[in-house]
Amino acid sequence: MTDRHEAAISDKDRADARAIWDFHQMGHELRPCSAAITLGSLDLGVVTGAADLYHAGMFPVVVFTGDTSAATRERFPRGEATHYREHALSLGVPDEAVLLEPKATNTGQNIGFSREVLENAGIAVTTLLLISMPYMQRRAYATCRKLWPEVEPVCVSQPLSFDEYVSTHDDEKQLIDMLMGDMERVMEYPKRGFAIEQHVPERVRDAFDRLRARGYDSWLLPA
């Protein structure tokens, strides 16, 4: 199946996917923050990046957040947050620097439930490091600005290009589908009150439309 998917992906498809990938990057300047939230996903590289940032002194405490989803249930059967925490501890992040939020099943809950965890721990937050997969940065930012406007979010990921990230995945078609899913949510969720509105350049919308017409749609919102 993977070979068939890869054979069907054209250079034009990849160029459109790169345009969307680049748009997802917020380009925030890394700086120390009051706390960090690491958003659950299927990518343990997110935790590796979080551990590097902790050791660099970018935050004193991190919340690992996430239950399971259709994408992660097989890989992280005990929940994204639990597996993230274990990986972080194996990378030298001390247990006292880790808080766990194991119930969230979407990005809004990731932010909202993690806020409650931090507040219950008595941690005052003015700046927040949001650590995610590269293509999730913009949606994480928009969600945080909507649900927790009092804090200033700084969005970061492992510094990987689209091509470098593709090389870490077995199924490029599925990865592009996921990029498309996040792109649609960036455009649609403000209408539903889940996120702030963000300007989407016409070239990015055009890339999205072309990829959707080409069948990159398995992670789009239900009609």
Side-chain angles (χ1 to χ4, degrees):
M1 182 180 297
T2 300
D3 291 342
R4 179 173 61 82
H5 283 165
E6 290 180 352
I9 298 172
S10 70
D11 289 342
K12 290 183 179 179
D13 292 344
R14 292 190 177 98
D16 284 337
R18 288 188 191 98
I20 293 173
W21 171 274
D22 290 344
F23 178 69
H24 282 313
Q25 319 297 309
M26 294 300 299
H28 287 167
E29 182 177 352
L30 178 64
R31 58 189 176 90
C33 291
S34 308
I37 296 175
T38 299
L39 302 175
S41 69
L42 51 76
D43 184 1
L44 279 178
V46 177
V47 188
T48 302
D52 290 342
L53 292 168
Y54 174 80
H55 293 307
M58 291 297 108
F59 57 85
V61 62
V62 57
V63 182
F64 292 117
T65 171
D67 192 352
T68 58
S69 68
T72 63
R73 191 167 294 116
E74 183 175 344
R75 187 173 188 188
F76 301 141
R78 289 177 288 111
E80 296 155 11
T82 297
H83 286 270
Y84 268 27
R85 172 185 174 275
E86 292 170 354
H87 191 53
L89 295 180
S90 76
L91 296 173
V93 178
D95 199 23
E96 58 268 24
V98 173
L99 296 172
L100 206 63
E101 189 298 293
K103 299 182 296 181
T105 58
N106 59 56
T107 306
Q109 291 179 356
N110 286 144
I111 301 297
F113 293 171
S114 294
R115 178 180 183 175
E116 293 176 5
V117 167
L118 288 163
E119 289 174 348
N120 291 339
I123 298 169
V125 178
T126 57
T127 54
L128 183 65
L129 204 62
L130 289 178
I131 309 170
S132 69
M133 296 181 294
Y135 64 83
M136 195 178 177
Q137 281 189 26
R138 189 168 291 275
R139 181 156 64 98
Y141 172 82
T143 305
C144 185
R145 293 299 296 154
K146 180 69 176 183
L147 300 181
W148 201 353
E150 300 86 356
V151 305
E152 183 178 352
V154 177
C155 298
V156 296
S157 304
Q158 286 188 300
L160 299 173
S161 69
F162 173 75
D163 293 329
E164 288 169 334
Y165 202 70
V166 165
S167 72
T168 69
H169 286 68
D170 294 329
D171 191 335
E172 185 178 358
K173 167 65 165 59
Q174 182 188 59
L175 175 58
I176 297 176
D177 282 351
M178 290 179 172
L179 290 180
M180 290 284 288
D182 267 60
M183 188 67 246
E184 185 180 42
R185 286 157 177 80
V186 166
M187 295 186 291
E188 294 297 322
Y189 275 5
K191 304 172 188 175
R192 306 185 185 191
F194 300 156
I196 64 165
E197 188 80 39
Q198 298 179 89
H199 172 68
V200 180
E202 185 176 355
R203 62 179 178 78
V204 176
R205 290 185 181 272
D206 289 345
F208 176 86
D209 290 341
R210 285 190 294 267
L211 287 172
R212 180 172 55 187
R214 285 274 288 131
Y216 295 91
D217 57 7
S218 68
W219 285 85
L220 298 184
L221 295 165

